[in-house]
Amino acid sequence: LKVGAALDDTEQVFSIADLGLAAFVCAEDPMVSAKLTDHLLAPLLAEPELLNTLETFLALNLSPSQAAQKLAIHRHTLTYRLQKITELTGADPRKFQDATRFLAALLWRKCKQPIA
C-alpha cells in the first residue's frame, strides 16, 4: 500500500504484479537501493533540465521523437541532452540496460519521498 500510494496519487490499491519493477525497487532493503540511486542520479540533481529530459524520455519508451515533441525541443537538442546525461553519469539512457537502471533509480527516489 505504501509503495502504491507513493507512486500514484489516485488512491488505488496495487498488487505486486501491478507495480512491476517498482515493487522490487521500493523493497524494504533501503541501503543498497539508496546507494545505487544516489550514485546514478547525483550528477543530475543539479541539472533539473537534464533530469526532466531523462524522466520524459523514459516515460515515452525511449522514443526520441515523442520525447522531443513533449519537451518542445528540437530532436538534436534532445540528442545533446541525452549525451550530456551519459557523460555526467557514465550510463546511456538510450541503451536498454542503462535505461532500466535509470528507471529503477527514479522510481526508488520517487517512492522514498514523503507523501504530501
Side-chain angles (χ1 to χ4, degrees):
L1 288 173
K2 286 171 40 177
V3 173
L7 297 175
D8 188 292
D9 61 357
T10 61
E11 298 184 11
Q12 294 180 356
V13 175
F14 296 93
S15 71
I16 289 176
D18 294 333
L19 294 172
L21 181 60
F24 174 78
V25 172
C26 299
E28 292 298 319
D29 183 9
M31 183 69 78
V32 173
S33 296
K35 285 184 179 185
L36 290 171
T37 297
D38 289 344
H39 176 74
L40 188 59
L41 296 182
L44 301 179
L45 296 179
E47 304 277 351
E49 187 174 75
L50 294 180
L51 193 58
N52 182 48
T53 298
L54 176 63
E55 290 173 331
T56 302
F57 183 67
L58 294 173
L60 295 171
N61 297 313
L62 313 183
S63 171
S65 56
Q66 288 181 12
Q69 183 178 10
K70 174 127 185 178
L71 292 165
I73 59 174
H74 192 277
R75 188 152 170 201
H76 291 267
T77 303
L78 176 71
T79 300
Y80 168 79
R81 289 183 187 178
L82 294 174
Q83 183 59 37
K84 185 73 173 169
I85 290 167
T86 301
E87 291 169 7
L88 289 172
T89 65
D92 187 344
R94 296 165 287 194
K95 295 181 179 177
F96 178 76
Q97 293 297 328
D98 290 345
T100 59
R101 288 176 48 213
F102 279 119
L103 181 59
L106 290 167
L107 286 170
W108 171 260
R109 185 171 170 257
K110 188 173 183 178
C111 80
K112 292 304 177 185
Q113 290 177 348
I115 299 172

